[in-house]
């Protein structure tokens, strides 16, 4: 008789934090079903496609790439093949190379990237402790940099806390939802459900997006904004709210600072003055501003359509200003929702995988805090903030002083060779760094530049805690025995640290967690026990007292997390995007997501059901009129070219997209849109402008040979990833 067990755990994909009930066949070490658990506060028993069918990759079906099951080293230098070695040899080799680089160039010549995906918070804590205490640098970062980094920086300035101020379930009790640059139906389907439920309860929806998304379709006001002009609209809405006397004057007086300076500057941004550039009607901007100000339950939700711009941080501040103006902070069902993308990107920030903060958002420059960590970790720590990961290319390719260059990059669970902008430059960077370590569950594109590859256990193969987008710490549980040869992420980095001369030892994740919460006052009360008892705990949670069950919404009563407790209005003028359309590159180019696949696709691309939804080389969405003028037909292969590179994909004519604009998704390896994207950064958060550059689309006359090229490329990738033709694909 086959033995089954049922285990509740957290979905490994988006930041909604859905609780999944998995049925596991323990005899064959396989998950056989996943269902939504009613214990999930944010999902209430439901799941999207990825939650339901996104676990197939665990058993290594070898569709796109394969699980790594043994450490590998390039013994003969950069150009030699990766060879399987023992764990002992791989750890020793990694430790010796890192120590040699520290000796020659100092600890700041090493960069570390942590993972916002499977490993969890305990492993994240170990990654930053490894970089700070063992290597001796604050050069540690993760994908929040290229994602919601702008939200964190922007909100810190205005209200002192970078996270969602409300909880996901509160969204359905909003009276007005201001949805800007956020496509919940694709990115967070179980957040989208709350938006739909809000609508059914009578909520009015404003959607701002250059594309007609699903939210746009149900919106009361849809502002089809010209890409890259968010600041003009946000300032014009503030202008209407102030000039028409729609502000909450009591709230502004009691809870904010610098209103008058802000109001004086905003006076210039009339709706009429921004109409031409935003492609919006002044009357529609006025309608949106009035609706925004009409309620004390206005919830602002934003995503990458705000943050992935060179003016991301300032647009985040502009969003927060609107809530300050209208008293939309500090009570139930109101506030700001930068809805964090990855299942544990909130957690990876919480754990201090950032160049400027220790766990719990404590600054590395604060001597008192640093002292506390030095005592706990028995080392002296660097007082200098580290390097943001988007500056690695600069520090490898263009730094004249060898002592100041990056010489080693230790990458845990990220795939910069697929997900970073301007891939031609990333490839050059990764080829030129002396030593690259990749610690992952799959062979990914970055492995091709790795000197060492270390195989980690995946979600479902280890214990831990993830933080959902709304600050909820939730336990994830082991479902299966790990694939042979893999070790836990935290265990691997403890072994490397010990081999480098800084012993770290833990028996389990709870020991790591308890060390972390003892050092981070914001999380001090969030014990494993309390998480189990309360369906998770939302931080801040200061006390271990069972009565402290954490904090569903922030800034209660209008007391903000800034030093003086006030919200600080900040005015910023509009700065245009860094690269605009021109005669050579006449179309705008934006990159977004699609529902069935996830980020670099190592996981969803290896799930049998999900991969049938969409496959290489993806598509470019264009307005039908533009397709017609270029003589392009639906499904035909086209070449897309920017100043940085080119790629090949299929043409998708759609009325959802305005004429002159194009969109690709970033999940494809052959149709890789990051060959084209611009690596220009927001100067404050160092987030790249993935959402806007210029391109041209070219017809390919010989479709037959282009189709053959795609087939050959696919075969080639799979071979490079170590899959034998006719391998396990069709099992
Ligand atoms: N053009 C364009 N590019 C983009 C974006 C865009 O909008 N447009 N968005 C950006 C954003 S917001 C983000 S967050 C990034 C995401 O980009 P990445 O972080 O690079 O992508 P992920 O697919 O999340 O996963 C990274 C790696 O983690 C590995 N992994 C999964 N679980 C585990 C584990 O338990 N342990 C270990 N060690 N590894 C694991 C996966 O196999 C994969 O190789 O992409 C960015 N890139
Ligand atoms: N299925 C799936 N789900 C995912 C992911 C995935 O890869 N696949 N990735 C996860 C991650 S890492 C993240 S960060 C989240 C991201 O979730 P979202 O932020 O929803 O993701 P995007 O699709 O990148 O961008 C959101 C919207 O911004 C719009 N936009 C583009 N330019 C502008 C502009 O100038 N102004 C305005 N107002 N809008 C603009 C786009 O048209 C798009 O509809 O999703 C997460 N969920
Ligand atoms: S909404 Fe997000 S967390 Fe929920 S099942 Fe889908 S991918 Fe998983
Ligand atoms: Mo993200």
């Amino acid at each position: 008789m086959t033995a089954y067990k049922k285990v509740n755990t957290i979905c490994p994909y988006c930041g909604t934090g859905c609780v999944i009930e998995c049925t596991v066949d323990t005899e064959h070490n396989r998950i056989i079903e996943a269902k939504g658990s009613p214990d999930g506060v944010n999902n209430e028993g439901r799941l999207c496609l990825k939650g339901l069918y996104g676990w197939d990759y665990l058993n290594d079906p070898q569709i796109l790439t394969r699980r790594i099951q043994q450490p590998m080293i390039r013994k003969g230098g950069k150009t030699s093949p990766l060879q399987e070695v023992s764990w002992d040899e791989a750890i020793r080799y990694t430790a010796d190379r890192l120590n040699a680089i520290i000796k020659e160039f100092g600890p700041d010549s090493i960069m570390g990237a942590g993972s916002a995906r499977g490993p969890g918070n305990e492993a994240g804590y170990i990654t930053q402790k490894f970089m700070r205490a063992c290597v001796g640098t604050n050069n540690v970062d993760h994908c929040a940099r290229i994602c919601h980094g702008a939200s964190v920086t922007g909100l810190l300035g205005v209200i002192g806390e970078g996270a969602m101020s409300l909880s996901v379930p509160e969204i359905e009790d909003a009276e007005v939802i201001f949805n800007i640059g956020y496509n919940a139906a694709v990115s967070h389907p179980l957040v989208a459900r709350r938006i739909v439920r809000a609508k059914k309860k009578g909520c009015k929806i404003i959607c701002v997006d250059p594309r007609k998304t699903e939210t746009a379709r149900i919106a009361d006001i849809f502002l089809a904004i010209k890409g890259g002009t968010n600041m003009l609209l946000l300032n014009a809405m503030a202008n209407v709210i102030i000039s028409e006397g729609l502000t909450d004057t009591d709230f502004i007086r009691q809870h904010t600072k610098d209103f008058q300076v802000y109001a004086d500057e905003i006076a210039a941004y009339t709706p009429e003055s921004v109409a031409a550039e935003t492609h919006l009607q002044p009357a529609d901007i006025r309608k949106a501003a009035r609706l925004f100000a009409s309620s004390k339950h206005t919830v602002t939700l934003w995503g990458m359509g705000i943050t992935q711009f060179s003016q991301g941080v300032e647009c985040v501040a502009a969003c927060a200003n609107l809530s300050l103006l209208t008293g939309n902070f500090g009570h139930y069902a109101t506030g700001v929702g930068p809805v964090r993308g990855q299942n544990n990107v909130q957690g990876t920030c919480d754990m201090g995988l950032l160049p400027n903060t220790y766990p719990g958002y404590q600054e590395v420059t604060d001597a008192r805090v640093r002292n506390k960590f030095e005592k706990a970790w028995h080392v002296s720590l660097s007082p200098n903030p580290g390097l943001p990961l988007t500056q690695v290319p600069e520090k490898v390719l263009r730094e004249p002083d060898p002592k100041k260059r990056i010489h080693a990059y230790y990458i845990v669970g990220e795939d910069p060779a697929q997900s970073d902008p301007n891939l031609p430059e990333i490839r050059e960077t990764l080829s030129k760094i002396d030593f690259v370590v990749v610690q992952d569950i799959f062979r990914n594109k970055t492995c091709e530049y790795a000197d060492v590859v270390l195989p980690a256990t995946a979600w479902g193969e280890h214990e831990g805690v993830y933080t959902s987008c709304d600050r909820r710490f939730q336990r994830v549980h082991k479902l299966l025995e790990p694939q042979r040869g893999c070790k836990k992420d935290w265990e691997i980095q403890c072994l490397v640290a010990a081999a480098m001369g800084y012993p770290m030892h833990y028996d389990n994740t709870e020991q790591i967690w308890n060390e972390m919460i003892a050092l981070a006052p914001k999380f001090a009360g969030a014990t494993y026990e309390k998480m189990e008892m309360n369906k998770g705990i939302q931080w801040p949670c200061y006390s271990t007292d069972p009565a402290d069950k954490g904090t569903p919404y922030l800034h209660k009563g209008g007391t903000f997390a800034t030093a003086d407790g006030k919200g600080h209005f900040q005015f910023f003028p509009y700065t245009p995007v860094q690269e605009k359309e021109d005669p050579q590159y006449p179309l705008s180019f934006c990159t977004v997501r699609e529902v069935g696949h996830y980020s670099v696709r190592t996981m969803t691309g290896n799930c049998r059901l999900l991969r049938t939804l969409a496959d290489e080389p993806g598509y470019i969405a264009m307005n039908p009129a533009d397709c017609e003028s270029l003589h392009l037909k639906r499904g035909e292969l086209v070449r897309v070219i920017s100043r940085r590179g080119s790629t090949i994909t299929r043409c998708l004519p759609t009325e959802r997209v305005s004429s002159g604009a194009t969109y690709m998704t970033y999940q494809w390896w052959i149709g890789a849109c990051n060959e084209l994207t611009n690596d220009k950064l927001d100067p404050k958060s160092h987030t790249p402008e993935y959402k806007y550059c210029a391109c041209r689309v070219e017809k390919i006359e010989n479709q037959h040979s282009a189709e053959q090229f795609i087939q050959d490329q696919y075969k080639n990738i799979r071979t490079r990833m170590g899959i034998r033709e006719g391998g396990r694909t069709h099992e």
Side-chain angles (χ1 to χ4, degrees), residues 14 50 147 180-183 186-188 208-211 213 225-228 230 303-305 309 341-342 590-595 597-599 663 666-667 691:
C14 86
K50 293 183 294 305
C147 177
I180 178 161
Y182 176 47
N183 186 13
V186 165
S187 310
H188 300 100
V208 186
D209 203 297
R211 275 191 315 161
T213 59
I225 194 169
K226 165 70 181 164
N230 289 322
M304 301 297 100
F309 279 104
Q342 311 260 46
C590 179
T591 58
V592 293
R593 290 163 164 74
E594 58 186 81
V595 72
H597 281 292
Y598 197 90
S599 288
Y663 294 80
Y666 74 101
Q667 348 285 151
K691 288 285 181 274

Side-chain angles (χ1 to χ4, degrees), residues 254-267:
Q254 287 168 29
H255 301 297
T256 72
K257 261 184 70 177
D258 301 331
F259 169 71
Q260 201 48 54
V261 189
Y262 174 71
D264 291 347
E265 297 279 5
I266 281 292

Side-chain angles (χ1 to χ4, degrees), residues 117 342 415 419 439-440 444 489 591 593 599-600 602 674:
R117 302 300 311 285
Q342 311 260 46
D415 192 5
S419 57
Q439 182 173 311
D440 211 282
N444 61 19
D489 281 293
T591 58
R593 290 163 164 74
S599 288
V600 308
T602 51
N674 280 326

Side-chain angles (χ1 to χ4, degrees), residues 105 109 128 155 261 292 335 364 379 406 463 502 513 649 659 669:
F105 303 106
S109 66
Q128 61 85 41
L155 287 179
V261 189
F292 188 104
V364 298
V379 282
I406 291 296
E463 297 279 319
Y502 182 81
W513 185 260
T649 188
S659 179
W669 292 26

Side-chain angles (χ1 to χ4, degrees), residues 11 13-14 16-18 47-48 50-51 189-190:
C11 176
Y13 291 102
C14 86
T16 310
C18 297
L47 295 177
C48 80
K50 293 183 294 305
L190 270 295

Side-chain angles (χ1 to χ4, degrees), residues 26 97 104 175 178 180 245 248 258 313-314 375 382 410 428 436 453 504 537 557 627 651 656 670 700 731:
T26 49
R97 291 284 308 259
E104 190 173 356
E175 289 173 349
F178 180 56
I180 178 161
D248 183 334
D258 301 331
V313 172
E314 295 178 353
K375 277 205 183 109
S382 166
Y410 192 141
E428 192 188 348
V436 177
V453 175
M504 292 202 278
I537 291 282
C627 298
C651 168
R656 286 182 190 254
I670 300 172
I700 299 175
E731 76 173 12

